[in-house]
Amino acid sequence: MTVLSGAGISAESGVPTFRDVETGLWSKVDPYEISSTQGWQRHPEKVWAWYLWRHYLMQGVQPNDGHRAVAAWEDHAEVHVVTQNVDNLHERAGSQRVYHLHGSLFEFRCDRCQDEYQGELPDMPEPVETETPQCRCGGLIRPNVVWFGEALPESAWQKSVDAVGNADVVIVVGTSSIVYPAAGLPELALANGIPVIEVNPEPTPLSNAATATVREPAAVALPTLLQRLPSILS
Ligand code: BV8
Ligand code: ZN
């Protein structure tokens, strides 16, 4: 069993999604400005502040029943979690195999020599433009996340393609299925005759192609999804 998750699975934990018009992370900033290499080159202090703020937000949230259900499925099946999320709520809920396609909010590196950064991180209750720390090579310290126009981490991508291609069922939860190449993974499963179940209160570009859709929030749908699978797939 493979789970492909997006920001929606963390919404009920209080982590803002990206596209939600009111509360979404991208309702306040231009995503291609703040999550792109161009944006970083133009104003690193603004990008740095925004990621430190999201890092700070993560200290105040807990996994929800959706994350916990996915972790509990490991008692019944071999579960692989492919996530676009840069939070660590799947791991904190107990999931053992989690592949972060778009990196992590809890890793930082030099944008020149790529050395990992272990230094202090100031608390950022509000995103206030702040000088980025400097590496001894003179490079700037950046979050280890994948920005638009950047390649995904090779190992996480390969493990994700294998996990989707070898799955008996793929659960796609809490994603708008717009950002590629992640959004191409359910298509890969369907092309291999693997059932794809979409869990999302709203329709997405994947909905029509999905084997089945469950129009419920993740923390409501996932705890009983395993029992419902036979009726959902019949
Ligand atoms: C690349 C990390 C090439 C940073 C992110 C093909 C076609 C078109 C465009 C492209 C293409 N291939 C590549 C592109 C360009 C681009 C792209 O896809 N653009 C899109 C916008 C059209 N892709 C890239 O640039 C990728 N890189 O292609 O590199 C390359 C190759 C080799 C060498 C060099 C370069 C990199 C993309 C990664 C960007 N980084 N995040 C950060 O987190 O800040 S993307 C970011 O946005 C997230 O990680 C996530 O992937 C995406 C947001 O989507 P979701 O997670 O789905 O969140 P969203 O808010 O949109 O939706 C939430 C959903 O949940 C909604 O549907 C809602 O209804 C639902 N929901 C709400 N509440 C609940 C719920 N569901 C369940 N329960 C609830 N309670
Ligand atoms: Zn460096």
Side-chain angles (χ1 to χ4, degrees), residues 197 224-234:
I197 300 175
T224 59
L225 192 72
L226 267 197
Q227 294 92 305
R228 294 190 281 169
L229 270 185
S231 60
I232 289 172
L233 290 175
S234 59

Side-chain angles (χ1 to χ4, degrees), residues 177-196:
S177 291
I178 292 173
V179 173
Y180 282 78
L185 291 170
E187 295 157 7
L188 174 75
L190 292 166
N192 289 289
I194 297 164
V196 168

Side-chain angles (χ1 to χ4, degrees), residues 48-116:
W48 180 245
W50 193 66
Y51 280 96
L52 278 187
W53 169 64
R54 290 174 59 192
H55 181 265
Y56 178 83
L57 282 184
M58 291 309 302
Q59 279 140 40
V61 302
Q62 302 300 326
N64 61 56
D65 288 350
H67 300 105
R68 284 189 282 273
V70 170
W73 292 345
E74 295 190 10
D75 305 346
H76 311 283
E78 183 181 305
V79 180
H80 297 258
V81 179
V82 175
T83 189
Q84 299 166 74
N85 299 344
V86 291
D87 67 45
N88 60 356
L89 295 176
H90 279 298
E91 290 90 342
R92 286 169 56 189
S95 286
Q96 300 304 310
R97 299 184 202 81
V98 183
Y99 316 129
H100 286 268
L101 289 179
H102 297 162
S104 166
L105 264 179
F106 304 92
E107 296 165 6
F108 297 85
R109 69 173 202 263
C110 169
D111 71 352
R112 190 181 296 171
C113 71
Q114 312 308 325
D115 262 14
E116 198 159 337

Side-chain angles (χ1 to χ4, degrees), residues 142-163:
R142 59 162 283 175
N144 190 28
V145 298
V146 179
W147 286 326
F148 286 100
E150 292 188 321
L152 276 54
E154 191 46 40
S155 77
W157 176 248
Q158 206 41 58
K159 288 184 184 139
S160 300
V161 169
D162 297 348

Side-chain angles (χ1 to χ4, degrees), residues 206-221:
L206 173 67
S207 302
N208 298 342
T211 313
T213 59
V214 178
R215 292 271 167 264
E216 298 165 6
V220 173

